Amino acid sequence: MSSETDETGPIDYLVVEFPGSRMTGEGLPLLVDLVDRGIIRILDLVFVRKDQDGTIAGVELSELTGGGHDELAVFEGVSSGLLGRDDIDEVSAVLEPGSSAGIVIYENVWAGPFAAALRRSGGRLVANGRIPVQEVLASLDAAEAGTGA
């Protein structure tokens, strides 16, 4: 196993829907910052739009960068091959008509050395997941209510 592969961090994906195709781009500088700081590495980044009649169309990064999001130009042509047409079709099927979505596949670079150390010591991942923010907030609210705070 090469050292680059050995140090690869976990790979995740996100799909973010924008109802009414209202993408403001507010989060884009933060995405660029995560990459610049070496926290994540973007492997695939695709934007799609679902018209009112259900037609799916890709949205080029240049269409987004033309709206003052020049920082996205660094992602132009980023494609690892992990995100296929079938994945885009699956995402598109759950989008509401008139919405857009961003699909991003990224490596958690920060976790690469940690994951490699665990693998070298014989560790293996047997489960992973994510706790929705809404559940965390509800749990914290319930704990606070129970303590009288």
Side-chain angles (χ1 to χ4, degrees):
M1 184 181 290
S2 76
S3 116
E4 182 178 318
T5 303
D6 186 45
E7 296 260 334
T8 298
I11 308 294
D12 286 328
Y13 72 92
L14 291 175
V15 177
V16 181
E17 181 180 28
F18 297 91
S21 292
R22 291 182 301 271
M23 286 191 252
T24 66
E26 182 178 348
L28 297 175
L30 298 169
L31 182 65
V32 171
D33 181 58
L34 290 171
V35 172
D36 286 348
R37 291 189 294 144
I39 295 171
I40 66 169
R41 179 170 60 114
I42 302 298
L43 301 174
D44 289 284
L45 181 62
V46 174
F47 294 93
V48 295
R49 176 179 40 248
K50 187 172 190 176
D51 294 332
Q52 290 296 336
D53 66 2
T55 303
I56 302 300
V59 178
E60 295 294 324
L61 286 176
S62 59
E63 291 179 55
L64 297 172
T65 58
H69 301 296
D70 293 332
E71 66 273 9
L72 272 185
V74 300
F75 301 126
E76 194 72 50
V78 171
S79 176
S80 68
L82 290 172
L83 183 62
R85 184 72 228 175
D86 55 336
D87 300 310
I88 294 170
D89 290 343
E90 189 176 325
V91 166
S92 299
V94 299
L95 293 179
E96 292 294 322
S99 293
S100 295
I103 307 166
V104 61
I105 297 178
Y106 60 97
E107 175 193 356
N108 290 284
V109 176
W110 64 269
F114 175 64
L118 293 176
R119 285 190 294 269
R120 285 191 301 269
S121 68
R124 63 185 182 94
L125 182 65
V126 294
N128 71 336
R130 186 155 281 141
I131 301 170
V133 171
Q134 296 83 353
E135 286 185 31
V136 173
L137 294 175
S139 179
L140 291 172
D141 287 345
E144 187 175 296
T147 62

